[in-house]
Structures are given as structure tokens and as C-alpha cells.
Amino acid sequence: SLFRNIPERHIKTLSKYFKVVSFKRNDIIISKNEIVSAMYIVIDGSVQVHDEEYIYAALSRKQYFGEYSLIDNEKRSATVTAITDCNLYELSGESFEVLLQSIPEVSRSILKELVTRLRDTNILEEKLTQRTLEIQQEKLELMRQRDALEHERLELVHLNKTKDKFLTIVAHDLKNPFSTIIGISELLITDFERYERDQIKSFIEQIHKYSGNAYNLLDNLLQWARSQTGRLKIKKGLFNIKDIVGETVDLLQGAANQKEIQIDSDEHSIYMNLDLNMVSTVVRNLVSNAIKFTPQNGKIDIRYQEIDDFIHVFIKDSGIGISQEDQAKLFRIDTNPSTIGTGEEKGTGLGLILCREFVKLHQGEITVESTPNEGSIFHFTLKK
């Protein structure tokens, strides 16, 4: 095709400028970055144009390469290697210069074909570039869709685990205290006259204890369910941290007294805008857990202070502590561990999940530091 516009009378003259060169299989004809001013036409055999392992093209009989080196004396951008034993016509740059001078008509024809070929190549490269950009966009869109599907899959897995946890709590943890309450109340109804006054009082105390536990669990369940459906809205007002801590201690003092646990707390005032119910729930759950996991004659300290833009609250106990493995699971609904307290108290772990949700709504964080048999410190922040 390179000589299709050359008058037939000049073809024989043109052929004199070519010489036949031979190469064995795997011989390198042109090396990448080599400056070579020569073009080649394949007589027989085949060659490949490549950049190390990447193959651009394979050329056989009547196909040619290196033609641009006749007009562009730059380093070659690829390597050409013989695939099989082959014979090639070679037109050197020096011969081409002589040809340009001696037969202007031939040189013009060749140059015209080279320019046309270069133009077509540039158009093709532009189309390829455009198509490459389109493919990249399509690839990015597919990756985005894949990531979205993966996110939805993980969300569904999380929701399924959440549902399972919820059903477990309803089926077992909420059912058990009611079973105990019903059992004790049936004894009182059927055999009230048989029991002594002290026994009846003990039964009533147990009913009060288990009904209180059931109520707290049910309240946590309802609040957690509302937080999951987005119906739980934060309602802030100006409140004193001292009052929230004091009311919590008063509420749980009876449970602490039963285990002879001492509760000490700060008594200075810090006012801030917060949701009273949420923050009270957080403090109540953490102090209740501290009582649950602290043995007889233990101690609980409640401290709070202002640091920069946050209120920091620390609840420290001298309890049984938490292993590193369980610490990583504490605030996750899908793997939250439930541990029996030092007084055989049962729990679901749901309280800590609520604490995390409520603290997040106040733009804060909740963390734990603990060593088995040495106690725990739960720390949460509230943004002022």
C-alpha cells in the first residue's frame, strides 16, 4: 500500500534502493530506544512488534514496519523480533534521502502515503483514547455499583444479625423475668396462708426486683428499636451533670447496698445542653453495669470534668474486669457478649448498645479500659 500511488515506470528504479536482509527465529531486528533509520517489508516469515511481554502486532508477508523512522529519526518506542526465520526488504534512511533527491515523484508519493497513514493512525488513536475513557467510566460505574451492592449486602447481614439479637432478647431475656414473676405470684395466690410474713416479704422483693429488671429491659428495647428506625429524636435542654449523676446514684443505691458497694461521685456543677432522657439512660446503664460486675464490698467512682469542647464522664469500678477479646465486642449488637454478674445478675448487653447510640447523638464517643480481675473504666464524652 505504501507504493500504490507510484507510477509503474518508477517501481523498478525504486526496487534498486532496497536490499534483502535475513534473520533467524528470535533475532532482534529493532530494539526499543534504539535509533534506527530504516523501514522493512516482510518477504517471508513473520515478526512481532512488542514491549517486553506486551505484543502490539504480528506482521507477515507484504506487511511493513519502521516506515516513520524515514522521516522521524527518534528512538524507537518498541522492539521488533523475528517469530520465525524470515527475509525482509530493507530501505535505509540514507537510501531514502538519495531517493528523495533523484526521483521527486516517488518521494512525494511515499511521503503522501505516510502522512495519510499517520493521519489515519492519529484519528484511530483519538477514537481509541475516547473509547478507553468511556471504558474507564463504565468500569468506574460498575465498581461503584459493585461497592453499593456490597454495602447493601453488609447492611442486610447487619440487619439480619440485629433482628436475630432482638428476637433472642424478646424470646429469652424478656420472657425469663416474667416467668419468675408469674411463678412467685401463683405461689402467693394459691398458698398465701401457708407462708410466714418474712417469706411473703421475700417473695414481694423478688417480684419487685424481677419486674424492675423486665421494665428496664423493655424500656431499653423500645428506645433501641426507635433509634434503629430513625424515630428517636434528640431534645436538648440546659441540665446539670451533677443532678443527673446524683439522681442515678439515688435510684441504684438500693442495689449497691445489697452488695455493700460504696459509690463515690463528684458533686460540682457543670451545666450543658443535652437530652436529659438519653444522658440519664447512659449514666444509669453504666452505673448499673458497674454494680452488676463489682463483688461484695467493692467501690465505684463517678467523675466528670470539662476538657476543651467536651464534657468527659468516667465510671470506674473494682469489678471482675473485661478481657481484651470481649472489649472489642462490647458495643456491637451482632457479637455483644452477655456475662453473668457477681450476684448472678443477668443481662443482654443491649444497654451498652444504647449508650453508644445516645453518645453518638451528642457528637461524643464511648470507650472502655479494663483488665480482668482489676476492674473497668467506662469513659464517654458529650460535646458542649
Side-chain angles (χ1 to χ4, degrees):
S1 64
L2 194 59
F3 313 116
R4 61 188 170 188
N5 294 317
I6 297 176
E8 190 172 335
R9 66 182 183 276
H10 293 310
I11 291 294
K12 187 174 181 180
T13 304
L14 174 65
S15 68
K16 294 177 181 178
Y17 290 89
F18 284 87
K19 69 176 182 177
V20 177
V21 290
S22 300
F23 295 92
K24 296 293 185 182
R25 181 174 179 267
N26 294 328
D27 281 353
I28 295 176
I29 302 166
I30 297 174
S31 296
K32 182 180 179 181
N33 295 323
E34 182 182 2
I35 297 178
V36 177
S37 180
M39 71 161 289
Y40 297 88
I41 303 171
V42 181
I43 300 172
D44 54 51
S46 58
V47 302
Q48 67 179 12
V49 184
H50 62 97
D51 185 357
E52 294 184 356
E53 299 297 323
Y54 183 79
I55 299 173
Y56 293 109
L59 307 175
S60 55
R61 186 170 178 268
K62 291 188 178 181
Q63 294 182 298
Y64 56 90
F65 59 93
E67 65 276 11
Y68 294 120
S69 69
L70 298 177
I71 58 175
D72 178 17
N73 195 22
E74 297 290 337
K75 291 181 179 179
R76 298 300 91 199
S77 59
T79 299
V80 182
T81 303
I83 300 175
T84 63
D85 293 352
C86 59
N87 295 304
L88 311 175
Y89 286 124
E90 180 187 76
L91 176 62
S92 68
E94 293 84 355
S95 297
F96 186 65
E97 289 291 335
V98 174
L99 185 62
L100 289 177
Q101 299 298 324
S102 60
I103 315 177
E105 193 174 0
V106 171
S107 62
R108 283 198 301 270
S109 179
I110 294 175
L111 287 171
K112 179 181 177 182
E113 184 62 28
L114 286 175
V115 170
T116 301
R117 184 175 167 88
L118 184 60
R119 182 198 64 196
D120 293 343
T121 300
N122 288 338
I123 292 172
L124 179 60
E125 286 182 350
E126 186 178 339
K127 290 181 178 178
L128 286 172
T129 301
Q130 182 61 35
R131 182 56 187 149
T132 300
L133 290 173
E134 291 174 358
I135 291 172
Q136 288 176 343
Q137 289 297 327
E138 291 170 2
K139 184 179 179 181
L140 288 172
E141 178 61 22
L142 287 173
M143 291 175 64
R144 188 195 65 77
Q145 292 178 8
R146 182 200 65 190
D147 292 343
L149 287 172
E150 178 64 12
H151 178 73
E152 289 179 7
R153 186 188 70 81
L154 293 175
E155 281 289 318
L156 288 173
V157 170
H158 174 73
L159 290 172
N160 195 49
K161 290 181 178 179
T162 300
K163 177 203 70 177
D164 292 343
K165 179 73 173 181
F166 187 86
L167 292 176
T168 299
I169 292 170
V170 172
H172 298 97
D173 300 284
L174 192 58
K175 178 182 176 182
N176 288 339
F178 281 112
S179 297
T180 303
I181 293 168
I182 291 170
I184 295 173
S185 59
E186 282 182 351
L187 288 176
L188 288 174
I189 291 171
T190 55
D191 297 310
F192 183 83
E193 291 80 7
R194 290 182 49 236
Y195 295 111
E196 299 293 333
R197 181 182 179 87
D198 289 343
Q199 289 178 305
I200 294 172
K201 183 180 179 182
S202 175
F203 284 152
I204 294 173
E205 287 174 349
Q206 290 184 61
I207 290 173
H208 179 265
K209 173 184 175 182
Y210 285 106
S211 60
N213 290 342
Y215 176 81
N216 289 333
L217 175 56
L218 183 59
D219 183 55
N220 280 345
L221 275 171
L222 292 174
Q223 291 196 64
W224 176 69
R226 288 173 63 199
S227 71
Q228 296 302 297
T229 57
R231 289 182 294 171
L232 188 63
K233 305 299 181 184
I234 189 167
K235 298 178 181 178
K236 289 186 176 182
L238 190 64
F239 297 98
N240 192 347
I241 300 295
K242 172 187 174 181
D243 295 337
I244 295 174
V245 171
E247 289 172 7
T248 300
V249 172
D250 290 343
L251 179 67
L252 299 175
Q253 190 66 59
N257 289 342
Q258 289 181 358
K259 298 173 75 173
E260 298 181 346
I261 294 172
Q262 178 185 346
I263 301 179
D264 288 334
S265 64
D266 284 334
E267 295 186 355
H268 58 279
S269 294
I270 297 180
Y271 287 88
M272 71 169 288
N273 279 307
L274 51 81
D275 185 300
L276 179 61
N277 290 331
M278 289 186 185
V279 176
S280 295
T281 299
V282 173
V283 177
R284 184 176 69 249
N285 272 304
L286 294 180
V287 175
S288 179
N289 278 350
I291 294 172
K292 174 182 174 181
F293 295 109
T294 299
Q296 290 288 126
N297 301 308
K299 184 178 180 181
I300 296 171
D301 286 310
I302 306 171
R303 304 289 175 234
Y304 49 86
Q305 59 182 313
E306 295 181 70
I307 303 177
D308 297 327
D309 293 331
F310 291 87
I311 303 297
H312 291 249
V313 182
F314 304 85
I315 297 174
K316 178 181 179 182
D317 64 60
S318 59
I320 59 177
I322 308 165
S323 68
Q324 288 290 331
E325 181 182 358
D326 281 344
Q327 286 180 44
K329 303 175 183 177
L330 278 181
F331 303 102
R332 292 173 52 190
I333 187 66
D334 54 337
T335 59
N336 190 268
S338 179
T339 308
I340 302 298
T342 56
E344 298 300 312
E345 304 98 328
K346 293 182 179 180
T348 63
L350 187 60
L352 288 178
I353 307 300
L354 266 183
C355 289
R356 184 194 63 178
E357 296 285 342
F358 292 169
V359 168
K360 281 176 64 178
L361 286 171
H362 284 80
Q363 296 177 274
E365 294 181 352
I366 183 168
T367 58
V368 61
E369 297 176 28
S370 186
T371 302
N373 303 316
E374 293 184 15
S376 304
I377 302 175
F378 280 84
H379 164 234
F380 70 90
T381 58
L382 307 168
K383 189 170 184 181
K384 290 192 293 184

